[in-house]
Amino acid sequence: MAKDKTPSDVSKMIKDNNVKLVDYKFTDLLGTWQHFTTTLSEYNDDVFADGLGFDGSSIRGWKVINASDMLVIPDAATAWIDIFNTEPTLSLICTIVDPITREPYDRDPRGVAEKAEAYLKSTGIGDTAFFGPEAEFFIFDEARFNYTGNACFHQVDSAEGHWNSGREEFPYLGYKVRAKEGYFPVPPMDTLQDIRNEMSLELEKAGIPVDKQHHEVATAGQAEIDVRFAPLKRMADSMQYYKYIIRNVAKRHNKTVTFMPKPLFGDNGSGMHTHISIWKDDKPLFAGNGYAGLSETALFFIGGILHHAPALTCLTNPTTNSYKRLVPGFEAPVNLAYSARNRSAAIRIPTYSASPKAKRIEFRTPDASANPYLAFSAMLLAGLDGVQNRIDPGDPLDKNLYELPPEELAEIASVPDSLRGAIEALQADHQFLLRGDVFNADFIANWIDMKQKEYDALRLRPHPYEFTMYYDV
């Protein structure tokens, strides 16, 4: 998505591509795209200033029955020809505002991201926050699940899953990916190279530059497609297009994609390692003469992330399933430490390049079930709080944290081990999110209420494995 598109550029796109329909997309509180579509009779350049009205009363997390009339304000910079519609359709991402006051709706995630970027500038610390997420996901052949009062089941499958090593395939040729051995195999072991290539090329056609794509560690089609870093809001927009394009390319091939953090037992889950850097006047602020070539600003930023990480997880790892990935001693970094090159630390300082422009931190705890607008904004606010209050991140830990003896490990703080723990952490620590009115008290209270209901929904239901453990008690 070119950031410099104007309304007149969009009108030219409509003419050049014989567009017949315009699709207006916006994000609900939990991070899922919603949309409505108009014909060209409802479109003109004024829509970028005046917006279009809609009923917001049924959008998840909004609950605005008494003030449900809202406006979508489309952003010309996000214009894209939606290739998954039969008729030529222009797609636009929108921010939500009140139709009377014209103020941003405080539960609109994209509006939160806009306020986060404005707050960064107001601090004088920097003017641009760059984010580079590495989202992982599974490409399955099938996903089935159901829950009733007396029964439940789930089943996901992939032809390359190691459990299919005895399946009749007429003929069976082998080439199944063993558990935890899916990192970088070539075809024919890697059966999804062409699909990932297609996903990557469609992302680039949409204006989202791709760094690399590859099979990930787990069996059964785990994948990663990395995109080039971008400013906060633009990257969150790109992540919404990213999920949409990847899911729909998979559907072309009669496959299904999930960003669920832990869909398989006994193999790696899917994270979203997130690279962050702050710039001012086109100069990187994280490069310096400190540990791993970091500046004092970068080290204090790390201090803020580590200090607020338990509360952050309620936004960066917002599902009950997230905490089946965040398990000490397994694949996810749960220990709140930082290190150069060490991937067992929650924050890593990449060392691929000595260039000051490449200097960044990598927060490895988040997963892609997060709403990117909210997660990126919260990470930024936590880091800025570290800079403003000069929060010392402590000494780096260059040991393998997965192999530390229990007495040493007990001295290192860790993220919560459940969504309930994350909720409690956010309840106790959210003042940093209220700076600049990026989030507000109503938003936090509403988010906590939604997350508690999700936690309760799982807590109240019998789990299938409980029958294995307890049926004969």
Side-chain angles (χ1 to χ4, degrees), residues 100-412:
I100 299 174
T101 67
R102 306 289 295 190
E103 291 294 317
Y105 178 49
D106 59 13
R107 293 189 187 179
D108 170 36
R110 196 169 193 264
V112 169
E114 290 177 352
K115 289 188 287 186
E117 290 187 317
Y119 175 66
L120 170 62
K121 293 178 181 178
S122 76
T123 65
I125 294 170
D127 52 36
T128 308
F130 286 105
F131 283 78
E134 299 176 351
E136 298 167 343
F137 53 94
F138 280 85
I139 305 172
F140 289 131
D141 297 337
E142 183 178 41
R144 294 187 293 134
F145 44 89
N146 193 28
Y147 198 104
T148 62
N150 69 315
C152 64
F153 81 97
H154 79 268
Q155 182 173 344
V156 293
D157 203 5
S158 165
E160 68 171 43
H162 66 82
W163 52 81
N164 282 319
S165 60
R167 188 169 74 169
E168 293 184 350
E169 294 182 353
F170 307 105
Y172 177 76
L173 301 177
Y175 302 122
K176 303 305 181 189
V177 178
R178 290 179 289 271
K180 295 184 179 290
E181 293 188 21
Y183 204 62
F184 286 16
V186 298
M189 187 74 77
D190 178 3
T191 65
L192 299 165
Q193 169 75 356
D194 288 336
I195 293 178
R196 294 194 310 272
N197 282 340
E198 185 178 334
M199 291 170 174
S200 299
L201 293 174
E202 293 294 2
L203 285 168
E204 293 214 321
K205 289 177 188 176
I208 304 169
V210 170
D211 278 341
K212 64 180 74 71
Q213 64 86 356
H214 56 84
H215 203 290
E216 255 298 335
V217 172
T219 189
Q222 192 181 33
E224 180 177 315
I225 299 177
D226 298 336
V227 298
R228 193 74 51 83
F229 65 89
L232 189 157
K233 183 181 70 174
R234 185 141 48 95
M235 179 50 72
D237 288 341
S238 294
M239 286 307 295
Q240 294 299 83
Y241 271 127
Y242 178 100
K243 286 186 172 182
Y244 180 74
I245 289 169
I246 284 173
R247 285 182 174 128
N248 280 284
V249 169
K251 189 172 182 293
R252 279 179 178 172
H253 296 268
N254 204 30
K255 295 184 184 294
T256 178
V257 159
T258 182
F259 291 89
M260 185 176 175
K262 191 73 172 181
L264 299 180
F265 171 69
D267 213 334
N268 280 34
S270 295
M272 186 177 70
H273 306 154
T274 303
H275 297 251
I276 312 169
S277 64
I278 306 295
W279 290 50
K280 186 176 184 179
D281 299 328
D282 294 323
K283 295 180 181 178
L285 300 184
F286 278 9
N289 298 317
Y291 174 79
L294 293 177
S295 66
E296 185 180 63
T297 297
L299 288 167
F300 287 143
F301 195 95
I302 290 172
I305 294 263
L306 294 178
H307 178 73
H308 295 297
L312 278 179
T313 56
C314 200
L315 291 156
T316 62
N317 305 81
T319 68
T320 59
N321 186 254
S322 297
Y323 298 87
K324 292 177 171 59
R325 169 181 169 262
L326 296 179
V327 178
F330 288 84
E331 82 268 12
V334 300
N335 297 302
L336 296 178
Y338 71 102
S339 174
R341 305 179 69 179
N342 187 347
R343 283 174 165 78
S344 65
I347 292 182
R348 184 179 75 94
I349 298 92
T351 57
Y352 297 124
S353 171
S355 169
K357 293 183 178 181
K359 191 56 64 178
R360 61 198 187 275
I361 70 167
E362 178 191 7
F363 186 31
R364 295 175 59 79
T365 302
D367 65 59
S369 69
N371 182 328
Y373 299 102
L374 304 182
F376 298 163
S377 297
M379 289 183 233
L380 174 62
L381 289 169
L384 291 178
D385 186 62
V387 176
Q388 291 163 326
N389 291 293
R390 302 178 67 83
I391 297 176
D392 185 350
D395 294 329
L397 286 174
D398 291 328
K399 304 174 183 178
N400 184 341
L401 300 181
Y402 300 139
E403 297 179 358
L404 284 182
E407 58 273 15
E408 285 190 52
L409 195 60
E411 297 178 1
I412 302 172

Side-chain angles (χ1 to χ4, degrees), residues 30-61:
L30 297 182
T32 301
W33 252 356
Q34 312 295 321
H35 76 133
F36 62 85
T37 308
T38 71
T39 63
L40 287 185
S41 63
E42 292 291 316
Y43 174 86
N44 58 56
D45 286 0
D46 293 338
V47 74
F48 295 99
D50 298 340
L52 287 174
F54 76 104
D55 175 7
S57 62
S58 296
I59 303 302
R60 291 189 305 175

Side-chain angles (χ1 to χ4, degrees), residues 5-15 43 45 48 75-77 79 90 92:
K5 286 196 190 84
T6 65
S8 60
D9 293 328
V10 175
S11 294
K12 186 175 186 300
M13 285 179 67
I14 289 173
K15 182 178 180 181
Y43 174 86
D45 286 0
F48 295 99
D75 185 345
L90 180 84
L92 294 165

Side-chain angles (χ1 to χ4, degrees), residues 62-84:
W62 287 10
K63 298 179 181 176
V64 285
I65 296 295
N66 61 326
S68 58
D69 288 348
M70 294 185 172
L71 291 177
V72 294
I73 306 295
D75 185 345
T78 67
W80 169 64
I81 303 301
D82 193 328
I83 58 171
F84 302 110

